[in-house]
Amino acid sequence: PRSAMPAAIGTLASLVVLQAASANAASTYDLLVIGGGSAGLTAAKFATTFGKSVAIIEKAKLGGDCTWTGCVPSKTLISCANAAHAARSAGRFGVSTGEVRVDYGKVMERVRATIEKIYDEDDSPEALAKLGIDTVVGQARFLAPKTLSIQRPDGTSTTLTAKDGVVIATGASPVIPNIDGLERPGGGGVPYITYEEIFSLPELPRALTVIGGGPIGCELGQAYARLGSTVTIVAPRLLPMLDPEAGEAMRQVLQAEGVTIETGRAVTVETGAGGRGHALTLSTGKVVEGDTLLVAVGRRPVTSGMDLDKIGVKLGAHGGIQVDAQLRTGVKGVCAAGDCTGDQQFTHYAGFQGSIAARNLLLPLTSVGTSLSVPGCTFTSPEVAHIGMTRAAAVEAFDQDKVLVVTRELKVVDRAKCAGQDGPGFIQVVTKAASGEILGATIMAPPAGELISEIAVAMHTKLKLPDLALVMHAYPTYSLPLQVMAASLYYKRLKKSAPLLAVLKKLGL
């Protein structure tokens, strides 16, 4: 059962250090931060940058999901999986490697070493203490808007007060779908794991079934297939938050690597044949069997246990803490940032919001902490990055004839041909037809996560897509198609101006 799974890496060691740090904590600070993930850490670091006193209250481990069970371990695991895939694929480049073997134990050693390195250097109590940040271990509960009671693991409690305010940054936790037969709290049912446990698996799964086709499901599904597991992904569609062509291209990529994609929903699950593993029945009637069941259908805001209702903090429609554009909860002196707000769930966005929440509590005036143009990336191979509106969202907002979508397939990109990466993939920019204003973009390419930053800068600085035609891009790069796509619109503008240009030509201008 999940309760018997190994604890998250480093949890106990982190707790011991946290307890030692909290023993020396003061009782009054300029800023208090509940939660030590991306949003909380950035909020605290912002405070010390401006000479403010700050304490982070964390009940488990500093670093949050990103460091321990999210970004860091998953991208480290993916890098190992990509190395195995590259070795197996070397023959098509004229390179012989012989049989490729994966030592899962050493893979996980690398994962753990990377986590510990990043934790020690950036997130640990010792690292934070050097910046002037106190850490307090325990569960925080509001006694008043700027007063917290901290229940320590040993049963004792302490009270902390903030002069300027409190930032709530408690993150999110896995969503567990209502599937008949799935293990429930208290025992009983078929056991499963989420992203919180998968990096603690002692052995490589023989047959991994993934429920969910979002970023987590696609990333881990491909990675474990490359490491040697037989993988089946069960989902109505892949990458459902993006336009359908992204999910279809991802389906082609994964199936080409041997991943089975079952289109449908998981309805019931029972123990597999011989009393082992699982047998998952889908809405299509098909039964999927395996030995490890990964649930990856999303994450929900963590808002319980803080007595938010006692001080008047309200929750929004999606279960997150309700905030305005300045991340204020409506209770003076209390802001919320990151995944706990129910907004877009990205580490970089949470960090951005953490700094803005701290800034709005500590400094005069306020800044906006929400955005509709947040870049995100699914780190499959190839990567899939997105920012702003999808084509469907733009058409709904502005009507079909007012939206122009410019697309370039990866198979016509010279760099992709040279690298042998000219399979499924594309660069797609959604614009306003009349002006060329960039509304959003989706990129599926090996360096999509890097390429999307150019679009992010263009959107932030109000550059229109045709403007990128005048920005020189190197050849042959994956980014050059952006200039080519921009040039196509730039040339259309010139053609529309042909009569005027002819007159100016005659005038010798």
Side-chain angles (χ1 to χ4, degrees):
R2 293 184 71 235
S3 58
M5 292 295 298
I9 306 165
T11 301
L12 185 58
S14 300
L15 188 60
V16 171
V17 176
L18 276 169
Q19 287 176 320
S22 65
N24 299 316
S27 60
T28 302
Y29 295 87
D30 293 315
L31 183 72
L32 291 174
V33 180
I34 305 175
S38 176
L41 290 169
T42 309
K45 291 175 181 178
F46 180 95
T48 60
T49 299
F50 287 87
K52 304 294 185 177
S53 60
V54 59
I56 293 178
I57 300 97
E58 172 56 57
K59 64 180 180 180
K61 49 195 179 297
L62 290 168
D65 280 359
C66 182
T67 299
W68 298 100
T69 58
C71 313
V72 174
S74 65
K75 278 52 187 178
T76 306
L77 183 84
I78 288 169
S79 71
C80 297
N82 290 349
H85 180 72
R88 293 193 192 97
S89 306
R92 66 191 183 102
F93 296 97
V95 178
S96 299
T97 61
E99 182 183 0
V100 177
R101 298 180 179 179
V102 173
D103 187 330
Y104 188 69
K106 290 185 177 179
V107 168
M108 295 314 298
E109 284 180 11
R110 184 170 185 271
V111 170
R112 287 190 290 270
T114 305
I115 291 173
E116 294 291 349
K117 179 178 176 62
I118 290 176
Y119 172 74
D120 289 343
E121 294 178 356
D122 299 330
D123 303 339
S124 67
E126 296 92 339
L128 297 183
K130 292 178 182 178
L131 300 176
I133 300 170
D134 283 349
T135 53
V136 180
V137 62
Q139 171 66 52
R141 296 180 182 275
F142 280 94
L143 299 178
K146 296 182 183 180
T147 304
L148 301 176
S149 173
I150 315 301
Q151 188 74 26
R152 300 190 184 99
D154 62 4
T156 62
S157 63
T158 188
T159 299
L160 301 180
T161 301
K163 295 177 183 177
D164 293 302
V166 178
V167 175
I168 304 171
T170 45
S173 61
V175 170
I176 308 303
N178 186 23
I179 299 174
D180 188 32
L182 201 63
E183 182 184 24
R184 294 298 171 188
V190 176
Y192 64 92
I193 59 173
T194 69
Y195 66 84
E196 292 185 329
E197 295 86 23
I198 194 166
F199 302 108
S200 297
L201 289 177
E203 297 179 352
L204 182 70
R206 177 188 59 81
L208 176 67
T209 302
V210 182
I211 301 176
I216 295 174
C218 288
E219 285 185 2
L220 294 180
Q222 184 183 52
Y224 273 92
R226 290 182 166 191
L227 291 173
S229 298
T230 298
V231 176
T232 300
I233 297 178
V234 177
R237 56 177 281 201
L238 301 181
L239 304 179
M241 301 302 291
L242 303 180
D243 287 315
E245 54 263 41
E248 173 58 23
M250 181 55 62
R251 182 188 65 79
Q252 295 176 29
V253 168
L254 294 177
Q255 287 183 330
E257 295 188 20
V259 176
T260 300
I261 308 297
E262 292 292 348
T263 302
R265 297 182 182 277
V267 178
T268 64
V269 65
E270 58 185 21
T271 303
R276 297 180 179 180
H278 59 267
L280 187 70
T281 301
L282 312 186
S283 54
T284 59
K286 185 157 187 179
V287 177
V288 177
E289 296 186 84
D291 59 14
T292 304
L293 183 60
L294 172 64
V295 173
V297 296
R299 300 165 70 243
R300 63 161 49 94
V302 173
T303 60
S304 63
M306 293 178 284
D307 290 341
L308 297 179
D309 56 325
K310 291 185 178 179
I311 61 168
V313 171
K314 298 179 180 179
L315 302 184
H318 299 290
I321 296 173
Q322 189 171 302
V323 295
D324 61 13
Q326 288 73 34
L327 305 176
R328 298 171 297 198
T329 63
V331 176
K332 188 175 181 180
V334 180
C335 288
D339 297 350
C340 68
T341 67
D343 202 344
Q344 301 172 76
Q345 296 180 354
F346 297 112
T347 293
H348 45 279
Y349 190 36
F352 168 80
Q353 288 196 329
S355 64
I356 296 297
R359 176 256 175 276
N360 289 345
L361 287 170
L362 297 171
L363 303 180
L365 306 178
T366 59
S367 295
V368 173
T370 58
S371 175
L372 296 177
S373 300
V374 179
C377 185
T378 299
F379 291 88
T380 46
S381 181
E383 298 173 355
V384 184
H386 174 76
I387 187 172
M389 288 185 169
T390 60
R391 181 186 66 251
V395 168
E396 183 178 351
F398 300 104
D399 295 330
Q400 180 75 54
D401 60 340
K402 296 181 179 179
V403 174
L404 175 65
V405 179
V406 185
T407 304
R408 196 163 182 84
E409 297 290 331
L410 202 59
K411 63 185 178 182
V412 303
V413 177
D414 287 356
R415 176 60 185 277
K417 296 176 185 177
C418 296
Q421 298 287 344
D422 50 340
F426 56 87
I427 298 175
Q428 183 181 88
V429 183
V430 182
T431 71
K432 285 186 177 180
S435 65
E437 177 187 345
I438 301 173
L439 300 173
T442 301
I443 302 175
M444 184 175 184
E450 314 302 328
L451 295 177
I452 204 68
S453 293
E454 180 172 351
I455 300 297
V457 171
M459 293 178 72
H460 181 73
T461 56
K462 309 297 183 184
L463 284 176
K464 296 176 173 59
L465 182 57
D467 296 331
L468 295 181
L470 303 179
V471 179
M472 194 69 66
H473 291 63
Y475 175 89
T477 60
Y478 284 105
S479 64
L480 181 63
L482 285 171
Q483 185 181 10
V484 174
M485 294 160 66
S488 69
L489 299 188
Y490 182 75
Y491 296 155
K492 286 181 180 179
R493 281 186 177 181
L494 290 180
K495 288 181 179 179
K496 287 182 178 180
S497 303
L500 175 61
L501 293 174
V503 172
L504 294 177
K505 179 79 171 177
K506 288 182 179 181
L507 294 175
L509 298 177

